[in-house]
Amino acid sequence: MLREAGLVRLAETRQVRGGTEQYFALVSKGFTLHQDAAAGPEFLIHAALGEMLPSPPGRASHTVLRHLRLTGAEVRALQARLRATVDEPHLTDPARGEPYGLLVSLFRADVPNLPPDDAPTGSAST
C-alpha cells in the first residue's frame, strides 16, 4: 500500500531460502502535508511520537514548545530559516551517527495575552 501511495520505493531484493526479501526506502527525506489534507498536522505529530525514543540516562530531551510574538516580516524570515534547515542534505550512512527526527511546525497559537511578569496584578486603592 505504501508503494502504491508513492511513499516508498523498492530499494533492494535478496533471495533467501527459496523466498525473496524486499527492502524498501522512503521516496523523500521528509513529508509535508497540504494545508487541506484531511489528516492534518495530527498525523505528523502522532508519527513523530511513535518514533521518539526516551532520552538516555543523564541526557536531556531536545523537545521544546515556545511561544513567540512575531511580526509578519519576522514570520516570513523564520519560515525561510526553518525551510533551509529541513532542506539541507543529510547523509544516510548509519556509521555516521545516530538517527534523529525533526518535526518543524510554525503555527499561530491560541494563547492568552498575559501581563509581563513585572506588571502589577491589581490596583491598590486608598
Side-chain angles (χ1 to χ4, degrees), residues 5-26:
L7 299 174
V8 296
R9 65 177 170 73
L10 183 62
E12 178 184 348
T13 60
R14 191 170 69 157
Q15 296 298 322
V16 178
R17 294 186 216 131
T20 302
E21 290 182 349
Q22 295 182 336
Y23 296 88
F24 294 89
L26 293 172

Side-chain angles (χ1 to χ4, degrees), residues 16-73:
V16 178
R17 294 186 216 131
T20 302
E21 290 182 349
Q22 295 182 336
Y23 296 88
F24 294 89
L26 293 172
V27 297
S28 176
K29 63 184 175 204
F31 297 97
T32 302
L33 294 177
H34 187 273
Q35 64 187 13
D36 297 331
E42 296 88 359
F43 171 80
L44 293 176
I45 291 168
H46 288 295
L49 286 172
E51 290 181 7
M52 283 184 187
L53 298 172
S55 295
R59 255 171 87 182
S61 171
H62 300 289
T63 303
V64 176
L65 173 62
R66 283 289 308 266
H67 294 108
L68 309 170
R69 294 214 172 263
L70 304 171
T71 65

Side-chain angles (χ1 to χ4, degrees), residues 3 6 9 25 41 47 53 64 77 87 91 98 101 104 108 113:
R3 185 164 51 173
R9 65 177 170 73
L53 298 172
V64 176
D87 287 344
L91 300 175
E98 297 179 57
V104 176
R108 291 191 60 226
N113 288 322

